[in-house]
Amino acid sequence: MTKRAIHKKYANTAKESGFLPHIAYDSVIFGFDGETLKILILEYHNTKLFALPGGFVKVHESLNDAVRRGLHDRTGLENIYLEQFHTFGSLERFVPATIEQIMLNNGHLNSGEEHWLLERFISVGYYALINFNEVNPQPDTLSDRCEWYPVNELPPLMLDHHEMVQKALQTLRDNINKKLVGANLLPEKFTMKQYQQVYEAILGEKIRRTTFQRQILGLDILKRHEKQFLGKAHKAPFLYSFIK
Amino acid sequence: MTKRAIHKKYANTAKESGFLPHIAYDSVIFGFDGETLKILILEYHNTKLFALPGGFVKVHESLNDAVRRGLHDRTGLENIYLEQFHTFGSLERFVPATIEQIMLNNGHLNSGEEHWLLERFISVGYYALINFNEVNPQPDTLSDRCEWYPVNELPPLMLDHHEMVQKALQTLRDNINKKLVGANLLPEKFTMKQYQQVYEAILGEKIRRTTFQRQILGLDILKRHEKQFLGKAHKAPFLYSFIK
DNA sequence: AACTTATTGTCTCATTTTGTGACAATAATA
DNA sequence: TATTATTGTCACAAAATGAGACAATAAGTT
């Protein structure tokens, strides 16, 4: 065995790993299950730490591509709707002990060892809107679970991830009338009630049925299809889809 | 002279300089001169390159503090109104030749020399709103001018700085009714017409006078003061200030 | 001093948008 | 056949906005 063949199991510097140092992204992945707005949360092995799915940017990769790559790995989806909402750069978010704990518990680090992931990071926050039913979330090597949580019932999140969620949600609310939010959270065809529930879940409040319908239909962005028979004891609703 | 005393004139690595590598910020500094919306633009020595004022983040400094520090150095102002609007991370913005030209022309680099500023940067965009009259903009060591330009008459800007300005302006427009924009662009006391002109300059369109007054006064955010005699041949307008 | 000018503060009325409730239609259930 | 819950639609009230009118007035002009 030559000297050259002796190598560490993991890259301990950013350069070795091929990533830009000090820069990360975290993603708030929203899905709608028909009733409530949910987001994907990771739980790390052997810790009680919950976190947003995140990742790093390769040296020759754009920031947007890095986020798309990470989301594809986790959800299998290709054309995900993505919005960047804020970049987090406080000193308070630099807590190497937390990262160290995660890596030690996963055997990705020896105690006392230096590692680029233990340095300070500035993180760019993105949110994604995906179709809840098309996804089977995959945990990564550091985490043993990747599960949906209602935005109102999140576990305690590490670092500033709770603040990230709140800021993502606020941005989503601000954008609700600008960016055709429903198209990405709903299935191809949906009822007016489902669409209204998406709005209510995002805004966190009830809205008036008649006013909502009047406004949405007035936008001329929906196509009306045949009625949907739900097996419920009342008039069947129409189905709608978005006009491309 | 000991070996230790032999040092380079400038730090060629990020570590030597005390800054985080690969991370920058750029600022779009808005001011209102009573008629049009303007922004501060730098021109670099011996080049025809125009750019937004930017800077870097120290290893033990928060992102926000870094931007405040840079803006204070350039304007002398302390409590600047700041909003982060977007983070730019494309590969197209990595053009080391441009940076190299600036540094060579300033004598901050020898030809062919390596330097951390020539590596790839991801830049966080901030916009600031300042009182036009309180500021005497200062160029930095790399630039020989720092001047106000109307947003509609900008010189060609380097890299993606034009895109940054457009995105800042769009965010400012989106925030105009949420964040009390006028308070930061106007002097302590102002007329309703001046306030309306701020709105028109930001939105880029004329607004109806009566509707504007009705809406603004309906918000109960303004205090009415004595009249202002302008020396003009017509009825004198009231002065207003924002209620703290 | 009287007239002119440009702008201001305030009203009024038409138009549009939104809030609120009512009601018949209807798919399944009892 | 009656009951139930929800849907699509309409009608009217209330609020917000668009559009214009007009007297008041500070200075300039004659």
Side-chain angles (χ1 to χ4, degrees):
Chain A
M1 200 182 204
T2 67
K3 255 193 174 175
R4 186 163 299 220
I6 301 170
H7 61 279
K8 282 176 294 194
K9 191 173 173 190
Y10 303 104
N12 278 35
T13 69
K15 196 160 211 167
E16 286 169 0
S17 72
F19 290 111
L20 292 175
H22 303 293
I23 297 170
Y25 71 84
D26 286 291
S27 50
V28 181
I29 306 171
F30 290 106
F32 181 70
D33 68 357
E35 288 194 4
T36 56
L37 195 63
K38 298 187 170 179
I39 62 182
L40 279 180
I41 301 288
L42 293 177
E43 183 175 359
Y44 290 115
H45 288 305
N46 311 319
T47 65
K48 303 225 163 146
L49 293 171
F50 296 85
L52 293 171
F56 308 99
V57 184
K58 292 181 182 172
V59 173
H60 298 298
E61 175 185 51
S62 79
L63 177 57
N64 281 334
D65 285 350
V67 181
R68 290 194 183 283
R69 174 174 52 77
L71 260 52
H72 178 260
D73 291 348
R74 285 197 158 85
T75 66
L77 297 178
E78 288 288 350
N79 292 312
I80 296 182
Y81 178 88
L82 264 184
E83 291 275 342
Q84 186 197 296
F85 63 92
H86 194 73
T87 294
F88 298 84
S90 76
L91 289 177
E92 288 76 38
R93 73 187 313 285
F94 176 41
V95 186
T98 302
I99 313 297
E100 190 174 24
Q101 185 192 344
I102 292 169
M103 296 180 72
L104 286 173
N105 286 8
N106 280 275
H108 283 237
L109 191 75
N110 298 314
S111 190
E113 194 177 12
E114 292 198 349
H115 197 285
W116 66 288
L117 287 176
L118 299 178
E119 297 185 2
R120 179 182 169 198
F121 276 83
I122 285 177
S123 184
V124 185
Y126 280 75
Y127 71 80
L129 305 179
I130 68 175
N131 191 318
F132 187 83
N133 299 308
E134 288 182 9
V135 170
N136 186 10
Q138 297 300 322
D140 57 30
T141 56
L142 284 171
S143 51
D144 51 6
R145 288 159 173 240
C146 184
E147 288 187 2
W148 291 104
Y149 286 82
V151 287
N152 296 322
E153 299 166 32
L154 298 178
L157 302 177
M158 58 181 274
L159 299 178
D160 53 358
H161 287 201
H162 187 75
E163 185 191 345
M164 289 182 174
V165 173
Q166 295 311 309
K167 200 125 190 169
L169 196 50
Q170 188 55 54
T171 309
L172 182 57
R173 282 176 186 153
D174 292 344
N175 286 342
I176 196 167
N177 286 316
K178 293 186 221 156
K179 309 248 183 177
L180 251 35
V181 161
N184 304 290
L185 288 169
L186 289 165
E188 175 69 19
K189 292 185 180 179
F190 51 89
T191 67
M192 194 53 76
K193 179 163 199 178
Q194 286 178 294
Y195 197 3
Q196 183 175 340
Q197 281 173 320
V198 168
Y199 262 68
E200 291 177 335
I202 291 173
L203 297 176
E205 59 186 25
K206 289 281 172 196
I207 39 186
R208 200 162 297 278
R209 183 176 63 99
T210 49
T211 310
F212 178 76
Q213 289 218 15
R214 184 168 48 197
Q215 286 173 339
I216 295 293
L217 292 177
L219 298 175
D220 288 326
I221 52 169
L222 295 187
K223 182 158 175 258
R224 182 184 275 191
H225 300 270
E226 74 289 1
K227 292 207 167 196
Q228 180 187 36
F229 292 79
L230 298 158
K232 295 285 181 59
H234 57 75
K235 198 172 174 179
F238 288 109
L239 285 179
Y240 293 89
S241 66
F242 286 90
I243 298 169
K244 305 289 185 302
Chain B
M1 200 179 201
T2 67
K3 256 195 174 174
R4 187 164 299 221
I6 301 169
H7 61 277
K8 284 176 295 195
K9 191 173 174 191
Y10 303 104
N12 278 35
T13 68
K15 196 160 212 168
E16 286 170 0
S17 72
F19 291 111
L20 293 175
H22 303 293
I23 297 170
Y25 71 84
D26 286 292
S27 50
V28 181
I29 306 172
F30 290 105
F32 180 71
D33 68 358
E35 288 194 3
T36 55
L37 196 64
K38 297 187 169 179
I39 62 182
L40 279 180
I41 301 287
L42 293 176
E43 182 175 0
Y44 289 115
H45 288 305
N46 310 320
T47 65
K48 302 221 165 155
L49 293 171
F50 295 85
L52 292 172
F56 308 99
V57 184
K58 292 182 182 171
V59 173
H60 298 297
E61 175 184 52
S62 79
L63 176 58
N64 280 335
D65 286 350
V67 181
R68 290 194 182 283
R69 175 174 51 77
L71 260 53
H72 179 260
D73 291 348
R74 285 194 159 87
T75 66
L77 297 178
E78 287 287 350
N79 292 312
I80 296 182
Y81 178 88
L82 264 185
E83 292 275 342
Q84 187 197 294
F85 64 91
H86 193 73
T87 294
F88 298 83
S90 76
L91 289 177
E92 288 76 38
R93 72 186 316 283
F94 176 41
V95 186
T98 302
I99 313 296
E100 190 174 23
Q101 185 192 345
I102 293 169
M103 296 179 72
L104 286 172
N105 287 8
N106 280 275
H108 282 238
L109 191 75
N110 300 311
S111 192
E113 194 176 13
E114 292 201 346
H115 197 286
W116 65 288
L117 287 176
L118 300 178
E119 298 186 2
R120 177 181 171 199
F121 275 83
I122 285 177
S123 183
V124 186
Y126 280 76
Y127 72 80
L129 304 179
I130 68 176
N131 190 319
F132 187 82
N133 299 308
E134 289 181 8
V135 170
N136 186 10
Q138 298 301 320
D140 56 31
T141 55
L142 285 173
S143 50
D144 51 7
R145 287 159 174 242
C146 184
E147 288 187 2
W148 290 105
Y149 287 82
V151 287
N152 296 323
E153 299 167 32
L154 298 178
L157 302 177
M158 58 179 275
L159 299 180
D160 53 357
H161 288 201
H162 188 75
E163 184 191 346
M164 288 182 175
V165 172
Q166 295 311 309
K167 200 122 190 171
L169 196 50
Q170 187 55 55
T171 308
L172 181 58
R173 284 177 184 150
D174 291 344
N175 286 341
I176 196 168
N177 286 315
K178 292 185 222 157
K179 309 248 183 177
L180 250 35
V181 159
N184 304 289
L185 288 169
L186 289 166
E188 174 70 19
K189 292 183 180 179
F190 50 89
T191 67
M192 194 55 74
K193 179 165 200 176
Q194 288 178 293
Y195 197 3
Q196 183 176 340
Q197 281 173 320
V198 169
Y199 262 68
E200 290 178 337
I202 292 173
L203 297 177
E205 59 186 24
K206 289 282 173 197
I207 312 181
R208 199 162 298 279
R209 185 174 63 97
T210 50
T211 309
F212 178 76
Q213 288 216 15
R214 185 168 47 196
Q215 286 173 339
I216 295 293
L217 292 176
L219 297 175
D220 287 328
I221 53 168
L222 294 186
K223 183 160 175 257
R224 180 183 274 192
H225 300 270
E226 73 287 2
K227 290 207 168 198
Q228 182 186 36
F229 292 79
L230 297 158
K232 296 283 180 60
H234 56 76
K235 197 172 174 179
F238 288 109
L239 285 179
Y240 293 88
S241 66
F242 285 90
I243 297 168
K244 306 290 187 300

